[in-house]
Amino acid sequence: MKKVILVTPHMPPTAGGPSIHAKKLLDHFSTAPNPPSQMKGIQISLFNFEKYKKYPSGIRHLLAFFSIFKKSVGKDTILALDGFTVALPSIFVGKILRKKVIIRVGGDFIYEQFLNLKQVDFLNFYKNFNLHKKFFSWKLYLKYLVQKFVLQNADEIIFNTSWQRNIFQQHYKLSPKLYVVENPVEAIESKVYENAKVNDSFLEKVNSQKYIFTSITRDIPYKNLKRLKKVFSEMGENYFLETEQGSRESCLKRISLSRAYICASISDISPNQVQEALSLKIPIIISKYTGITEYIEKQGVAKVVDPFDENDIKNALLEMCDESKYLEYKKNLENFKWPQTWESLFEQYKEIL
């Protein structure tokens, strides 16, 4: 029996990719009595970092270290679902207890932090890293060294796009075994979200038949919401942008009622909510700088924009409101195919573990 501790930064109802993955993996590789025969041989237990978030940085990581250490005794493998927050204590525990540590890297904390200083897309950031490094504060440079330490000391690393893996491999000179496990896209039944509450303002816009676009994400530099909101402020009263965060069910309901989903990020490795919008058969406006842009553009379900170009974003909005062009996107969505489902993801994790 292969015993695994699954270490996650958060769990539902907290929204985000790690939450969904942690819940799905835990449910699938259940330790309940009489698991399906194909799952025998893997036993997963959970550590959720969320309970320590009330403590200051450093203290919470130390508390996480002790908890992960205790839970790792008698386990074979530590599977950490990020490349920094829970990965760092996991690496130290793995070194001390001589456990295999597998890290799934979903985003890039250093790049996200750097965008508070300067706007640059993900690929150019690492291509010209020595130039950009000159702008780092000592705190950010220390965080970079931590991320480098984590990545170079993991036994195996899971990326969710080849685009991300290739950039990281080249920059960090990685020697651990590397995998690509793409995020899944499969139909989401309406019963999952149809009873979710949404704000009155949004419902008012739906009932008044405005052109509603959703971009439900954190208002941080790399998500580019400031520029996106400026574009909408110039579009007129018939265009409405919904950005308010909420539960996953509430987000899904609002996306399902929108004209299109917008990911205008300066860069985004594998935007989870874009993939959920595709699951709901909603057309996409997407930044040219993401790890999935090329694939969904070829499938004819997305309009690609330069996230630095306000006119480009505006023209994409107008295109989504052109009925004939919009119907073409909707038609392509009916035939849309994505290479990964949850079942195929589980099989990949089973092989890795």
Side-chain angles (χ1 to χ4, degrees):
M1 175 73 70
K2 186 72 70 175
K3 295 182 179 180
V4 179
I5 174 172
L6 176 64
V7 182
T8 180
H10 40 74
M11 286 283 285
T14 302
S19 289
I20 299 165
H21 273 72
K23 180 72 165 61
K24 290 277 192 178
L25 288 168
L26 193 65
D27 287 349
H28 187 73
F29 296 103
S30 175
T31 56
N34 303 315
S37 59
Q38 69 268 26
M39 291 304 106
K40 287 179 179 176
I42 297 176
Q43 192 177 77
I44 288 188
S45 58
L46 180 72
F47 168 78
N48 182 4
F49 182 76
E50 274 184 293
K51 62 183 176 181
Y52 295 130
K53 285 187 176 179
K54 61 185 177 182
Y55 298 104
S57 182
I59 299 296
R60 58 178 177 250
H61 292 88
L62 186 61
L63 292 171
F65 166 79
F66 287 120
S67 186
I68 296 167
F69 187 98
K70 184 178 178 181
K71 287 176 177 284
S72 296
V73 174
K75 305 296 192 300
D76 303 293
T77 304
I78 302 169
L79 172 60
L81 298 185
D82 85 343
F84 196 95
T85 301
V86 297
L88 179 60
S90 296
I91 289 291
F92 282 117
V93 171
K95 292 288 184 187
I96 295 168
L97 295 180
R98 297 186 179 182
K99 307 293 182 184
K100 178 187 279 190
V101 180
I102 303 172
I103 292 172
R104 174 187 177 267
V105 183
D108 185 3
F109 183 72
I110 305 307
Y111 170 71
E112 293 175 22
Q113 293 277 304
F114 181 74
L115 291 185
N116 287 300
L117 306 173
K118 186 179 176 184
Q119 289 192 338
V120 60
D121 70 83
F122 187 75
L123 180 58
N124 286 331
F125 175 68
Y126 279 116
K127 250 186 183 176
N128 302 291
F129 185 79
N130 289 331
L131 174 65
H132 296 307
K133 191 168 63 175
K134 295 174 184 177
F135 295 97
F136 281 18
S137 66
W138 70 266
K139 286 184 179 179
L140 184 55
Y141 187 68
L142 181 60
K143 289 173 181 176
Y144 161 71
L145 293 178
V146 171
Q147 177 163 286
K148 185 176 182 180
F149 171 80
V150 166
L151 292 169
Q152 292 184 342
N153 284 275
D155 294 290
E156 300 177 2
I157 304 173
I158 300 170
F159 296 100
N160 49 29
T161 68
S162 299
W163 184 73
Q164 177 196 23
R165 178 201 59 194
N166 295 342
I167 294 169
F168 269 56
Q169 186 174 24
Q170 184 175 3
H171 176 73
Y172 287 103
K173 311 294 188 245
L174 298 176
S175 56
K177 192 169 184 179
L178 308 180
Y179 303 93
V180 175
V181 179
E182 294 188 349
N183 291 334
V185 173
E186 58 184 32
I188 299 174
E189 295 181 19
S190 60
K191 65 182 181 182
V192 172
Y193 58 83
E194 60 188 0
N195 294 321
K197 291 184 179 180
V198 299
N199 61 70
D200 292 338
S201 172
F202 180 81
L203 287 177
E204 182 185 320
K205 300 298 188 299
V206 172
N207 293 332
S208 60
Q209 297 185 318
K210 305 274 187 189
Y211 288 120
I212 297 170
F213 294 84
T214 43
S215 189
I216 304 170
T217 188
R218 295 171 292 159
D219 194 357
I220 53 178
Y222 94 97
K223 293 296 186 180
N224 207 25
L225 278 185
K226 183 178 179 181
R227 186 177 277 116
L228 186 58
K229 287 177 179 178
K230 181 176 182 292
V231 171
F232 269 87
S233 71
E234 298 167 355
M235 289 291 292
E237 61 179 18
N238 287 328
Y239 299 85
F240 176 70
L241 176 65
E242 172 68 9
T243 63
E244 184 178 315
Q245 296 186 66
S247 68
R248 178 173 181 254
E249 291 74 19
S250 171
C251 293
L252 290 173
K253 184 169 183 176
R254 284 175 285 153
I255 293 169
S256 73
L257 294 170
S258 63
R259 186 79 174 181
Y261 185 86
I262 306 173
C263 170
S265 299
I266 292 171
S267 278
D268 213 322
I269 292 165
S270 182
N272 182 65
Q273 218 158 56
V274 165
Q275 292 167 308
E276 291 192 317
L278 292 169
S279 299
L280 296 168
K281 306 293 186 185
I282 299 299
I284 306 297
I285 296 172
I286 193 166
S287 166
K288 65 194 290 187
Y289 304 114
T290 88
I292 65 171
T293 297
E294 184 179 355
Y295 182 83
I296 64 174
E297 183 184 24
K298 283 181 179 176
Q299 295 275 321
V301 297
K303 175 67 176 176
V304 178
V305 297
D306 181 339
F308 300 103
D309 188 335
E310 292 174 15
N311 283 329
D312 206 19
I313 297 170
K314 181 179 179 180
N315 289 333
L317 296 174
L318 293 172
E319 182 169 313
M320 285 296 172
C321 298
D322 181 305
E323 204 60 35
S324 63
K325 292 179 180 176
Y326 185 73
L327 289 173
E328 193 65 33
Y329 283 112
K330 295 292 280 186
K331 179 182 174 184
N332 291 336
L333 278 162
E334 291 303 316
N335 300 313
F336 176 71
K337 289 184 173 57
W338 184 258
Q340 184 83 300
T341 65
W342 282 110
E343 282 303 318
S344 60
L345 178 142
F346 295 144
E347 283 300 313
Q348 284 182 274
Y349 270 96
K350 182 184 174 187
E351 287 296 318
I352 292 168
L353 294 172

